[in-house]
């Protein structure tokens, strides 16, 4: 490779590394639920971890109706922390997230937001996303309450798509 191509390539790689892939977030071509990972691909994960991800959320989340005030807060957090790499209806640096709550459980989405490193290291679906998007979602340092607000925003967007 010539010297004139190396610098732009390195710059592009550095920029891509700064934005995240999707976590919980699954690629639009990935329509199988997280629990559908073959048992041989579970890598020592518990059935709960296969279905709901690896991270601080250790139980299922009873979603119930969308909390619209929390969703409004989540939209602001999404715009600030996520929108540089994720769009709702199109693939960008990371996967489209408009229908992620139809493909992933609430706990999976929150675990991907809160523990992207652990997910990419151990979870078979997150590993597939990394292979497809070639960039890891950075840990944005959100609290569980902030991650829940982002989840509510994504749930509200999923409702609007119907």
């Amino acid at each position: 490779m010539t010297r004139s191509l190396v610098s732009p390539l390195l710059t592009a790689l550095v920029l891509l590394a700064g934005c995240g892939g999707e976590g919980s977030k699954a690629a639009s071509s990935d329509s199988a639920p997280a629990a559908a990972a073959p048992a041989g691909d579970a890598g020592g994960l518990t059935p709960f971890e296969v279905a709901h991800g690896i991270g601080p959320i250790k139980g299922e989340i009873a979603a119930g109706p969308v909390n619209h005030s929390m969703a409004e807060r989540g939209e602001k957090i999404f715009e600030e922390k996520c929108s540089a790499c994720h769009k709702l209806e199109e693939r960008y640096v990371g996967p489209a997230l408009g229908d992620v709550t139809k493909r992933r459980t609430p706990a999976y989405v929150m675990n991907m937001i809160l523990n992207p490193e652990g997910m990419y290291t151990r979870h078979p679906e997150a590993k597939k996303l990394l292979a497809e998007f070639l960039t890891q979602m950075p840990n944005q340092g959100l609290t569980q309450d902030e991650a829940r607000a982002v989840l509510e925003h994504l749930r509200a967007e999923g409702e609007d798509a119907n």
Side-chain angles (χ1 to χ4, degrees):
M1 202 178 293
T2 66
R3 228 174 217 278
S4 63
L5 290 177
V6 172
S7 181
L9 264 177
L10 286 175
T11 302
L13 288 173
V14 169
L15 289 173
L16 283 175
C19 288
E22 184 259 341
S24 48
K25 319 173 198 156
S28 56
S29 64
D30 178 8
S31 60
D41 290 347
L45 302 181
T46 67
F48 179 86
E49 290 171 328
V50 171
H52 304 287
I54 302 160
I57 308 303
K58 303 290 186 193
E60 291 188 40
I61 295 174
V66 171
N67 179 329
H68 290 284
S69 63
M70 188 180 283
E72 287 178 24
R73 183 171 160 246
E75 181 178 15
K76 292 174 185 163
I77 296 167
F78 182 89
E79 287 300 318
E80 180 183 317
K81 301 280 188 170
C82 311
S83 66
C85 297
H86 292 285
K87 303 302 176 201
L88 294 173
E89 300 304 323
E90 66 183 277
R91 177 185 173 116
Y92 200 55
V93 174
L97 296 181
D99 68 344
V100 70
T101 59
K102 290 176 179 39
R103 294 180 280 115
R104 301 285 185 232
T105 68
Y108 185 100
V109 172
M110 288 184 64
N111 278 327
M112 190 66 202
I113 292 169
L114 296 168
N115 184 33
E117 302 92 346
M119 292 286 286
Y120 283 121
T121 302
R122 297 186 51 219
H123 198 281
E125 293 300 314
K127 287 178 181 183
K128 287 179 191 176
L129 290 171
L130 179 58
E132 181 177 351
F133 288 89
L134 302 175
T135 191
Q136 291 185 4
M137 185 173 90
N139 189 327
Q140 296 289 343
L142 271 59
T143 66
Q144 285 189 25
D145 287 341
E146 290 169 327
R148 180 58 191 251
V150 171
L151 171 66
E152 289 301 301
H153 167 60
L154 295 172
R155 290 180 63 222
E157 289 297 327
E159 275 187 353
D160 291 344
N162 292 332

